């Protein structure tokens, strides 16, 4: 979940009630600071910015879907993303939306829909990432890898994750996410030897972290690694 300052930069749709919207966002973000990704956080976010809003912003719908994805409720995430399938969005919103849609289709097992969605949007995604920061490139490759994984193209999925990402220091959450995705793919493939090596890499990466942004974060990533090894992402 992005911080209130970052959300402020994006802007709220109801400018006349900007201060009120920021206050609500800060209150919801407080739940994230305290407990991380929880059902309570998702419900509070939905209540504040989706269910009781006249015109929920595309960004808030996508972020809510992302929050549900983080608690493994992929079906609810999909229901929210469906609202935006025919909606016009900015390039940043569309990129965020496409990544979440690819991941969600893949995790609920709709491999054909994921493949069709990738085909329909791949040109935009490739153009967008040509000048995008490395983090966004990594987000795209992980989403594409999950699409191949859903279609049981495991070797192609793993190949996509070898796109040349270079570690960005000891506390590199993007690298950790890549390693966790690799664990998941080996687990889905039923490759026990590959899974053992992938688990070792992910756990070693986590041990390199000198600090975390939130008190719950270390335990959260330990759980993420364990769940990925059990085909849950």
């Amino acid at each position: 979940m992005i911080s209130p300052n970052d959300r402020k930069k994006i802007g709220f749709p109801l400018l006349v009630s900007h201060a009120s919207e920021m206050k609500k966002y800060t209150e919801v973000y407080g739940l994230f600071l305290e407990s991380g990704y929880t059902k309570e956080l998702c419900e509070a976010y939905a209540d504040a910015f989706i269910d009781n809003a006249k015109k929920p912003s595309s960004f808030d719908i996508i972020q809510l879907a992302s929050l549900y994805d983080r608690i493994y409720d992929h079906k609810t995430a999909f229901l929210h993303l469906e609202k935006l399938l025919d909606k016009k969005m900015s390039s940043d919103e569309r990129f965020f939306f496409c990544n979440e849609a690819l991941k969600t289709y893949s995790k609920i097992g709709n491999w054909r829909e994921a493949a069709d969605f990738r085909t329909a949007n791949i040109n935009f995604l490739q153009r967008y990432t040509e000048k995008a920061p490395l983090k966004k490139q990594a987000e795209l490759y992980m989403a594409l890898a999950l699409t191949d994984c859903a279609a049981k193209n495991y070797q192609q999925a793993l190949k996509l994750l070898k796109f040349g990402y270079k570690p960005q220091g000891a506390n590199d959450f993007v690298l950790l996410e890549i390693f966790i995705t690799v664990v998941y793919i080996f687990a889905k493939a039923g490759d026990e030897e590959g899974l053992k090596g992938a688990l070792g890499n992910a756990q070693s990466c986590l041990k390199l972290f000198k600090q975390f942004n939130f008190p719950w974060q270390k335990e959260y990533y330990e759980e993420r690694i364990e769940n990925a090894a059990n085909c849950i992402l």
Side-chain angles (χ1 to χ4, degrees), residues 72-130:
Y72 310 108
D73 189 348
H74 307 306
K75 290 184 178 179
T76 301
F78 177 74
L79 290 175
H80 285 290
L81 292 172
E82 273 193 316
K83 301 172 184 177
L84 300 175
L85 285 174
D86 299 315
K87 187 171 181 178
K88 187 175 181 180
M89 291 176 271
S90 68
S91 293
D92 289 341
E93 288 172 339
R94 186 179 172 190
F95 179 79
F96 190 10
F97 168 73
C98 286
N99 272 352
E100 289 302 318
L102 284 170
K103 291 189 298 181
T104 303
Y105 277 129
S106 301
K107 291 176 186 180
I108 62 179
N110 291 356
W111 68 269
R112 189 173 296 279
E113 287 85 349
D116 289 345
F117 187 88
R118 175 179 58 187
T119 299
N121 292 280
I122 193 62
N123 288 336
F124 160 75
L125 290 168
Q126 288 177 334
R127 288 195 306 270
Y128 183 92
T129 53
E130 283 178 358

Side-chain angles (χ1 to χ4, degrees), residues 169-171 175 203-211:
N171 301 322
L175 181 63
Q203 291 164 346
S204 295
C205 180
L206 184 58
K207 288 178 181 177
L208 290 175
F209 278 67
K210 305 298 183 184
Q211 62 184 28

Side-chain angles (χ1 to χ4, degrees), residues 19-106:
S20 174
E21 297 286 280
M22 277 302 301
K23 182 180 178 181
K24 286 194 296 183
Y25 191 89
T26 301
E27 289 173 353
V28 174
Y29 190 73
L31 296 175
F32 175 70
L33 290 177
E34 182 179 346
S35 304
Y37 301 103
T38 63
K39 184 177 181 181
E40 181 186 12
L41 173 67
C42 294
E43 291 175 345
Y45 197 109
D47 182 65
F49 298 107
I50 308 299
D51 297 340
N52 296 307
K54 291 183 179 179
K55 293 183 179 180
S57 72
S58 296
F59 174 86
D60 284 320
I61 293 172
I62 301 165
Q63 181 163 229
L64 177 61
S66 177
L67 295 179
Y68 272 110
D69 174 72
R70 288 288 189 168
I71 64 169
Y72 310 108
D73 189 348
H74 307 306
K75 290 184 178 179
T76 301
F78 177 74
L79 290 175
H80 285 290
L81 292 172
E82 273 193 316
K83 301 172 184 177
L84 300 175
L85 285 174
D86 299 315
K87 187 171 181 178
K88 187 175 181 180
M89 291 176 271
S90 68
S91 293
D92 289 341
E93 288 172 339
R94 186 179 172 190
F95 179 79
F96 190 10
F97 168 73
C98 286
N99 272 352
E100 289 302 318
L102 284 170
K103 291 189 298 181
T104 303
Y105 277 129
S106 301

Side-chain angles (χ1 to χ4, degrees), residues 134-194:
L134 195 58
K135 179 181 177 181
K136 288 195 173 183
Q137 294 179 34
E139 289 172 357
L140 174 59
Y141 278 103
M142 282 188 278
L144 294 175
L146 289 175
T147 302
D148 279 322
C149 180
K152 299 183 179 182
N153 295 326
Y154 303 117
Q155 291 303 314
Q156 176 60 24
L158 293 169
K159 184 178 179 181
L160 280 169
L161 295 177
K162 296 178 180 178
F163 65 96
Y165 182 83
K166 295 180 181 179
Q168 307 295 303
N171 301 322
D172 190 343
F173 288 99
V174 175
L175 181 63
L176 182 56
E177 290 285 352
I178 292 172
F179 279 136
I180 292 172
T181 305
V182 172
V183 170
Y184 174 79
I185 294 170
F186 273 118
K188 293 291 286 186
D191 185 335
E192 293 186 8
E193 184 176 350

